[in-house]
Amino acid sequence: MSATLIAGSAHPQLADALAKELGLALGRCSLEHFPDGECHVQLGCDVRGEVFIVQPLGNPVGEHVLELALIADACRRAGASRITAVTPYLGYARQDRRTAPGEALGAQVLGRLVGSAPLDAIVVVDLHQPAVEGCFPFPMVQLSAADALADAVKPTLPKDAVVVAPDLGAMRLAQRFADRLGLPTAGVHKSRLGGAQVQARGVIGDVKGKVPVIIDDMITTGSTIEAAAHAVEAHGALGAPLVCTVHGVFAGDALARLGKLGIRGLVVTDSLPQRDEAVLARQVVSIAPLLAKALKG
Ligand code: R5P
């Protein structure tokens, strides 16, 4: 395969893993900050041909978007014929609709900003809201890590487990994950009260006497998982839950919050860099094979 893979600063480990999967060497690209804070990009490799830029758009999203645009611009000016952004995690995807007057439509703003870069396509994994694709002016390839997560938990899965979607938005992901494992599903009816506070209003499906395996597309503050764990326990679920997520954002004290729940385990992909292992251990499942398969076409 004749292509060049460039790593932005957001997740060099994932870029490395993907390069290995694709059998490519990482293209040299210097990313520096000038004393005034401006980002400076300079390619040190031949990029004529196809280019993949690996840059999940996690915190700080603005900086990562700008860096992605600068790298794409440098590649295009240096003769790249086709440029694909590999952004498994897409920040602002949760701002896909306005919930109150006076708010901005964050997902569309992000789509316009990223869309202004000279990109030909973008690859995402378990996008919070698939319709966000419409905010981008070029094709979006949407992948799911549900099967990879299911295969990772299968060997240690407790007997009589039930897959739980902690809110209705997670149902599609939970169903695919459960189908792969041959397990039943249940769902939690959730209301968000604030940024770090949610309320479980009820449980749909039978969790009584079963070990809950809770799966969500992302964990940010941990409030959704906390509410779901308490809700299924109140409805008769058995024992500590196993928690799985695609995007481990883990903002603030989220890991400590999950630790206090006494969960059976935490399984997460490497769509974002995973830190603070000492706060809460987790099993990290690489999405590099999934990305590589999609990029190979
Ligand atoms: C929201 O609908 C998402 O699917 C997640 O449930 C949510 O973003 C998780 O956020 P937190 O961990 O802060 O509850």
Side-chain angles (χ1 to χ4, degrees):
M1 178 182 198
S2 161
T4 308
L5 194 141
I6 305 276
S9 67
H11 200 348
Q13 303 91 332
L14 178 62
D16 246 343
L18 182 55
K20 285 195 183 92
E21 287 288 333
L22 290 170
L24 296 173
L26 272 182
R28 283 183 52 206
C29 176
S30 113
L31 303 168
E32 284 177 346
H33 282 96
F34 285 138
D36 60 3
E38 287 182 5
C39 179
H40 177 253
V41 165
Q42 188 167 13
L43 296 170
C45 60
D46 183 353
V47 292
R48 284 171 297 174
E50 176 151 33
V51 177
F52 304 123
I53 304 171
V54 180
Q55 180 82 326
L57 299 180
N59 189 19
V61 183
E63 186 69 15
H64 290 150
V65 167
L66 186 60
E67 194 185 85
L68 170 64
L70 289 167
I71 297 171
D73 185 72
C75 289
R76 182 67 89 220
R77 289 175 192 282
S81 57
R82 180 176 167 81
I83 308 173
T84 300
V86 183
T87 59
Y89 176 73
L90 197 71
Y92 285 82
R94 286 190 299 177
Q95 294 191 39
D96 58 317
R97 64 202 154 90
R98 300 195 314 138
T99 54
E103 286 183 343
L105 193 50
Q108 189 173 77
V109 172
L110 183 91
R112 284 201 188 120
L113 290 174
V114 175
S116 69
L119 294 164
D120 297 292
I122 188 164
V123 179
V124 300
V125 177
D126 291 299
L127 187 59
H128 178 65
Q129 171 53 260
V132 162
E133 173 173 14
C135 299
F136 290 77
F138 36 67
M140 174 181 274
V141 177
Q142 300 203 25
L143 306 174
S144 177
D147 292 354
L149 284 170
D151 293 348
V153 302
K154 194 167 188 168
T156 56
L157 210 57
K159 273 190 184 154
D160 294 328
V162 59
V163 173
V164 177
D167 59 27
L168 300 182
M171 214 52 211
R172 202 167 30 98
L173 173 68
Q175 191 62 62
R176 179 165 173 175
F177 178 81
D179 286 350
R180 181 87 169 184
L181 293 168
L183 291 177
T185 52
V188 176
H189 181 198
K190 165 186 117 176
S191 290
R192 186 166 283 282
L193 307 176
Q197 220 193 340
V198 303
Q199 186 185 35
R201 291 172 171 264
V203 173
I204 304 155
D206 184 17
V207 296
K208 198 163 181 194
K210 299 192 170 83
V211 178
V213 181
I214 307 175
I215 181 162
D216 205 352
D217 61 330
M218 69 174 86
I219 298 177
T220 306
T221 65
S223 59
T224 299
I225 298 296
E226 186 182 70
H230 289 145
V232 292
E233 188 183 5
H235 280 74
L238 257 197
L242 175 64
V243 176
C244 304
T245 191
V246 178
H247 307 297
V249 179
F250 305 129
D253 65 352
L255 287 169
R257 193 172 186 172
L258 294 174
K260 280 191 200 134
L261 285 176
I263 57 177
R264 181 180 297 262
L266 176 57
V267 187
V268 60
T269 80
D270 59 354
S271 69
L272 289 166
Q274 291 303 304
R275 306 187 181 93
D276 300 326
E277 189 64 17
V279 180
L280 187 61
R282 65 220 89 128
Q283 180 183 351
V284 180
V285 178
S286 184
I287 54 167
L290 174 74
L291 295 171
K293 195 171 167 205
L295 295 179
K296 278 178 191 160

